Amino acid sequence: MGARWSRGYRGDLPNHPRGKVYDGYRNRLFQREQREGINVIRLWTYLSANEGFVLRTVNYVSYMLACILALPFLPKADVVITTSPQFFNGLAGYFVSRAKRLPWVLEIRDLWPESILAVGAIRNETVIKILRWLEEFAYRKADRIVPVTDAFAQYMRNMGVAADKIVVIKNGVELGLFKRETSGAAMRERLGLQGKTVAAYFGTHGMAHHLETVLEAAQLTAGDPRIVYLLVGDGAERARLLEIKERLGLTNVLMLDQQPKDAMPELWGMADISLVLLRKTDLFKTVIPSKIFEAMGMATPIILGWKANPETWC
């Protein structure tokens, strides 16, 4: 949430994806901190793990309400910027911008409600209608909309959003951190993967990714000792994937918890192949997973795949 353009920000507590506050933070009503010269204001929110539509929605709604209640205590600003992995989060910007009489810039990182419909997270027609109304409302009220892909921009134009209201800004990679020459030899040794071909997936273990496909590949290649599959991250599906891995006795699959950012270049450095998976839906043909940029920065070959049948195979 912008204040004086890039000088200010506010948000909830670092807690993704498990809904547990990171060390060094407390879920208090109102708190300030300085991060790299930026004034950060954090607000109390109801925290929940990154799983389940209802509790996650309560999480986002609580943040939106916290923003509204904090309005009298916010500093002067030139523009309000919100990002929308879910509309209740992004809609906080509407209320702040109207109360402060400021322009509102809405970034769209995922299409809602299309993304949750694509994975079957909701089926209630009334709820779907409400979410579609919120989508149209946000696009109509925002002064500028910033989607992260050209396909998202086309989707919005098809909805009747004026083309001059849309500015595409794509994701990228920090080339100073993700460099081709980064060695993963020490990490390979720590994990016991010397001499192996490592096919790695880094990122959220969610419904949209259908990572059972990786376990299926591991089962098919279980007789080849040269190949190992590495899954790094967390998400709503991780516990189930771990259970499947153990049940099938997949010794060629290694699953690591979510890792700190500074550990990722070394992990990427030992990956021979980057796996990028999504369910096979028309919507997911419009997205560009951010891990693709990291793989390109590291010059790691990419296997991009869609799962044709979203039903669990095992």
Side-chain angles (χ1 to χ4, degrees):
M1 190 77 69
R4 291 295 177 193
W5 192 250
S6 61
R7 296 184 190 171
Y9 171 88
R10 64 192 173 97
D12 60 2
L13 279 298
N15 69 89
H16 180 82
R18 297 181 179 177
K20 295 181 179 180
V21 177
Y22 287 14
D23 291 342
Y25 292 93
R26 292 175 58 193
N27 196 11
R28 295 182 294 186
L29 286 177
F30 189 97
Q31 53 194 301
R32 298 177 185 268
E33 66 173 306
Q34 287 282 331
R35 294 184 65 86
E36 300 180 8
I38 298 174
N39 180 38
V40 180
I41 299 173
R42 299 192 183 277
L43 306 174
W44 180 92
T45 54
Y46 173 83
L47 302 180
S48 69
N50 187 30
E51 54 188 57
F53 174 74
V54 175
L55 291 181
R56 288 299 289 164
T57 298
V58 173
N59 169 258
Y60 287 119
V61 170
S62 71
Y63 172 72
M64 181 180 71
L65 295 176
C67 290
I68 296 170
L69 294 174
L71 274 170
F73 309 100
L74 299 180
K76 293 181 179 180
D78 299 318
V79 64
V80 176
I81 305 172
T82 52
T83 187
S84 182
Q86 201 227 44
F87 270 115
F88 292 110
N89 188 20
L91 279 172
Y94 168 75
F95 297 101
V96 175
S97 66
R98 292 306 180 266
K100 297 286 187 178
R101 297 184 179 180
L102 298 170
W104 176 31
V105 178
L106 175 63
E107 183 193 43
I108 300 295
R109 306 195 67 81
D110 289 305
L111 291 176
W112 274 71
E114 297 302 318
S115 58
I116 52 175
L117 294 178
V119 299
I122 57 170
R123 292 184 172 84
N124 185 289
E125 290 297 327
T126 301
V127 173
I128 293 171
K129 287 180 181 179
I130 292 172
L131 292 176
R132 290 199 185 282
W133 182 87
L134 287 172
E135 177 187 30
E136 294 172 0
F137 175 86
Y139 293 163
R140 186 170 65 252
K141 295 296 184 180
D143 296 285
R144 287 291 186 275
I145 306 171
V146 181
V148 294
T149 73
D150 294 319
F152 283 11
Q154 185 58 54
Y155 169 88
M156 294 168 187
R157 289 192 292 268
N158 291 343
M159 288 184 62
V161 179
D164 60 0
K165 195 175 185 177
I166 302 169
V167 180
V168 177
I169 300 179
K170 297 175 182 177
N171 287 317
V173 62
E174 187 179 347
L175 292 176
L177 184 62
F178 294 92
K179 298 178 287 190
R180 180 175 184 175
E181 59 270 21
T182 302
S183 172
M187 181 69 74
R188 276 181 178 268
E189 186 173 353
R190 286 197 294 273
L191 297 176
L193 301 179
Q194 303 97 314
K196 303 284 188 180
T197 296
V198 179
Y201 173 88
F202 302 121
T204 302
H205 295 26
M207 296 174 67
H209 308 97
H210 207 273
L211 296 179
E212 294 95 327
T213 303
V214 178
L215 303 186
E216 184 177 19
Q219 190 177 36
L220 292 172
T221 58
D224 190 336
R226 299 171 299 173
I227 304 172
V228 66
Y229 298 85
L230 174 66
L231 301 177
V232 180
D234 206 338
E237 294 289 284
R238 187 174 188 274
R240 191 170 68 85
L241 292 166
L242 275 169
E243 188 276 327
I244 295 173
K245 170 187 175 295
E246 295 302 321
R247 174 158 48 85
L248 296 178
L250 297 175
T251 58
N252 57 343
V253 176
L254 177 62
M255 297 180 66
L256 302 181
D257 287 331
Q258 181 172 284
Q259 301 294 305
K261 183 178 180 180
D262 57 9
M264 294 310 300
E266 193 176 4
L267 284 164
W268 273 108
M270 73 169 189
D272 298 294
I273 301 166
S274 171
L275 302 175
V276 181
L277 292 96
L278 291 168
R279 290 193 181 201
K280 189 175 182 180
T281 69
D282 288 339
L283 173 67
F284 292 149
K285 294 177 182 178
T286 70
V287 306
I288 305 177
S290 58
K291 61 181 67 64
I292 286 179
F293 296 96
E294 294 175 357
M296 293 173 69
M298 299 293 294
T300 304
I302 299 169
I303 293 179
L304 177 64
W306 285 275
K307 179 64 178 177
N309 182 2
E311 297 301 322
T312 302
W313 55 271
C314 53

